[in-house]
Amino acid sequence: MSTKKIVSIQDISCYGQCSLTVALPILSAYGIETAILPSGILSTHTGGFKNFTFLDLTDEMPKILNHWISEGIRFDAIYTGYIGDARQFDLIRQAKEDILNPGGLLIVDPAMADYGKLYTALNEDIVLGMREIVREADLILPNLTEAAFLLDTRWKETYTKEEILQIAKQLADMGPKTVILTGVSYEPGHLGAIAWQKESEQYTEYFTEWIPKNYHGTGDVFSSVAIADVVNGKDIYTTLKDSCEFVVKSIRNTLPDESHGYGVKFETVLAESNL
């Protein structure tokens, strides 16, 4: 049985348990050979840290990509996350064209916003570029704020089930075959994710206990587990269950350490998982 190969296109936050420092260990632990095409290097992530440094790698990315093309290197999936420069969307398109195997998946986590606001240092050009790239994706994994930006609608703190389903359908109408919406809650005390599969018109949901504590990087943890399951051929219910439960375990693992507010301790959860 051949090993699946994936390339993740997103930033390296050198400290803070997010983006590639989350995606690389999780995908690898799930048995997927993982390469990286870093979009930039940050000293820390942009949430809660001040005076962080940022090195834009837009000019270096084509060199890496062209070397892979010359070597005949190809992948079963491309997983995009935080994009810091709108020029990088064209590089994602080139990667889809030149290094994605026939039948491979373009998976987009539009990591750009939360709680109604764009992340620090991002602008409207990123939103416009993200709207276009999701049209070419097979799977997208936005949170509800990102969904609002993609659809150019107003974000709300609460949604009904009917509204959530309508959002998922509208996102699918943009192009992706499957939409996974995260941060969904229909009742107090429960939080989870839903999926809408356009071709089969299948709605799937999974909810866990809502732990009233916010940590950076939980979206990256969720997406990395979900993408690992998808690439490994798991069904959509198992994908939602595994991802939600992994995030909750990581949060519970972090709660006792009040000084650890910049991310979740996913590493020991990963080590204890029976993958």
Side-chain angles (χ1 to χ4, degrees):
M1 180 178 177
S2 62
T3 301
K4 295 291 186 178
K5 295 171 64 175
I6 189 170
V7 57
S8 185
I9 305 175
Q10 55 181 311
D11 72 285
I12 300 173
S13 287
C14 298
Y15 186 79
Q17 294 173 304
C18 70
S19 58
L20 281 174
T21 60
V22 167
L24 184 56
I26 290 178
L27 290 166
S28 298
Y30 273 77
I32 300 169
E33 181 181 338
T34 307
I36 63 171
L37 182 55
S39 60
I41 300 176
L42 293 89
S43 54
T44 66
H45 60 63
T46 62
F49 293 103
K50 298 179 180 180
N51 303 317
F52 56 86
T53 67
F54 173 64
L55 175 64
D56 188 341
L57 294 179
T58 304
D59 292 336
E60 190 66 25
M61 292 172 72
K63 301 174 188 177
I64 299 170
L65 184 56
N66 288 331
H67 181 218
W68 290 350
I69 294 169
S70 71
E71 293 287 341
I73 297 170
R74 303 185 72 91
F75 298 92
D76 300 298
I78 297 170
Y79 159 26
T80 75
Y82 180 95
I83 299 298
D85 189 311
R87 293 175 294 167
Q88 294 170 2
F89 291 111
D90 285 336
L91 290 167
I92 295 171
R93 292 185 181 90
Q94 183 186 359
K96 180 184 179 183
E97 179 70 23
D98 293 332
I99 63 171
L100 187 61
N101 283 327
L105 301 175
L106 174 59
I107 303 171
V108 175
D109 177 2
M112 60 180 177
D114 211 349
Y115 300 106
K117 297 180 180 180
L118 284 175
Y119 293 148
T120 302
L122 298 186
N123 55 37
E124 185 66 16
D125 288 340
I126 296 297
V127 177
L128 295 175
M130 202 69 76
R131 286 176 188 164
E132 292 305 312
I133 205 66
V134 301
R135 298 181 187 280
E136 304 180 38
D138 297 285
L139 164 65
I140 64 171
L141 304 100
N143 62 36
L144 288 171
T145 295
E146 291 155 352
F149 275 106
L150 290 172
L151 295 173
D152 196 18
T153 58
R154 183 176 61 89
W155 171 77
K156 303 193 304 180
E157 291 189 6
T158 59
Y159 293 86
T160 65
K161 185 172 183 176
E162 291 73 20
E163 289 173 327
I164 291 293
L165 182 56
Q166 183 64 22
I167 290 169
K169 288 181 177 180
Q170 289 175 336
L171 289 169
D173 286 343
M174 294 178 71
K177 299 179 182 68
T178 302
V179 174
I180 295 178
L181 273 174
T182 64
V184 175
S185 177
Y186 297 143
E187 58 181 344
H190 293 86
L191 185 70
I194 69 97
W196 174 252
Q197 294 170 286
K198 183 166 53 179
E199 293 180 358
S200 62
E201 296 189 336
Q202 178 181 339
Y203 167 86
T204 309
E205 63 182 35
Y206 190 84
F207 294 94
T208 60
E209 173 192 1
W210 187 341
I211 301 174
K213 179 71 174 180
N214 295 323
Y215 290 102
H216 299 286
T218 52
D220 296 326
V221 172
F222 179 98
S223 292
S224 297
V225 175
I227 290 166
D229 270 4
V230 168
V231 171
N232 283 330
K234 298 291 183 67
D235 64 87
I236 197 66
Y237 178 80
T238 300
T239 296
L240 296 184
K241 179 178 183 296
D242 288 350
S243 307
C244 289
E245 293 290 348
F246 194 104
V247 170
V248 168
K249 290 177 183 177
S250 298
I251 292 173
R252 287 182 181 142
N253 197 45
T254 312
L255 283 173
D257 187 350
E258 295 182 359
S259 67
H260 199 282
Y262 53 84
V264 289
K265 296 183 177 183
F266 71 92
E267 296 89 350
T268 52
V269 179
L270 189 61
E272 295 166 0
S273 297
N274 183 20
L275 301 178

